[in-house]
Amino acid sequence: MYEAMQELHDDKVMFMELRNSLFPLYDLDGTQHTPEETARTLMKVVKRFCANNPSFLGIKLIISQSRSVPLDAVKQKIEQFKRWKAEFPELIIGFDLVGQEDMHHSLLDYREALEGIKDETNFFFHAGETNWYGRQPDHTISTTPSFSIPRGLVMGI
């Protein structure tokens, strides 16, 4: 990660937002690291890089979940997200559902689960990346504002 930040900084990039699901990571020797350990390590690396490169503003993490999974898996990721957001508020800035809209679930399928965290996070939904002339994927653009989400961003319009 340090090298990635260095290459971006060399290209005059001053800030990174990453989408990540915080899966367990493995060392070359087979040691498994929890998502929490991974987040702590990322924060240490970012802090060290920023100390060495004061013009670099840092990294923020958007927790993502594929929309190709069943609703129960999304609910589980949202529960993890709540714990991670509480533990790493300076790192984690939001939640996103990723994946091709016309092949997987629409945001409407996850509305109830997402409503449960709308007051504690930002959403970074992608919408309108299809052109299916009124089919369900196109409705993501009009659906997202109806969630009564005070803090969210719909990209790809």
Side-chain angles (χ1 to χ4, degrees):
M1 182 54 70
Y2 195 96
E3 182 62 31
M5 286 186 287
Q6 186 63 60
E7 289 182 22
L8 288 167
H9 187 258
D10 292 347
D11 289 340
K12 309 298 185 228
V13 173
M14 298 173 58
F15 176 77
M16 289 173 61
E17 280 184 3
L18 303 173
R19 275 181 178 67
N20 191 293
S21 295
L22 282 182
F23 293 113
L25 293 180
Y26 300 86
D27 278 343
L28 292 175
D29 66 4
T31 303
Q32 181 177 339
H33 300 275
T34 67
E36 293 81 9
E37 291 171 320
T38 301
R40 282 187 212 98
T41 300
L42 175 61
M43 289 174 50
K44 287 177 189 176
V45 172
V46 170
K47 185 175 182 178
R48 182 171 51 113
F49 186 84
C50 288
N52 294 336
N53 300 277
S55 64
F56 191 77
L57 302 175
I59 289 180
K60 298 295 181 183
L61 190 62
I62 299 167
I63 300 298
S64 61
Q65 173 62 57
S66 172
R67 52 172 90 219
S68 67
V69 300
L71 180 57
D72 287 342
V74 172
K75 287 180 179 179
Q76 182 180 15
K77 181 59 81 174
I78 287 172
E79 289 305 312
Q80 289 175 322
F81 169 81
K82 288 179 185 179
R83 290 191 306 275
W84 295 336
K85 178 90 168 116
E87 187 172 350
F88 307 107
E90 66 284 355
L91 176 65
I92 297 174
I93 61 167
F95 188 82
D96 190 11
L97 289 168
V98 297
Q100 192 171 338
E101 294 173 326
D102 57 337
M103 296 193 58
H104 305 298
H105 302 280
S106 86
L107 288 177
L108 284 174
D109 298 333
Y110 304 113
R111 182 179 182 148
E112 184 180 323
L114 294 170
E115 287 275 346
I117 59 171
K118 72 178 184 180
D119 294 329
E120 58 193 85
T121 196
N122 297 304
F123 292 104
F124 294 85
F125 299 134
H126 289 73
E129 296 170 336
T130 58
N131 190 12
W132 293 101
Y133 306 104
R135 291 178 58 201
Q136 186 178 10
D138 293 338
H139 296 293
T140 300
I141 294 172
S142 59
T143 299
T144 304
S146 73
F147 278 19
S148 302
I149 298 169
R151 299 177 292 180
L153 177 62
V154 179
M155 297 179 276
I157 297 175

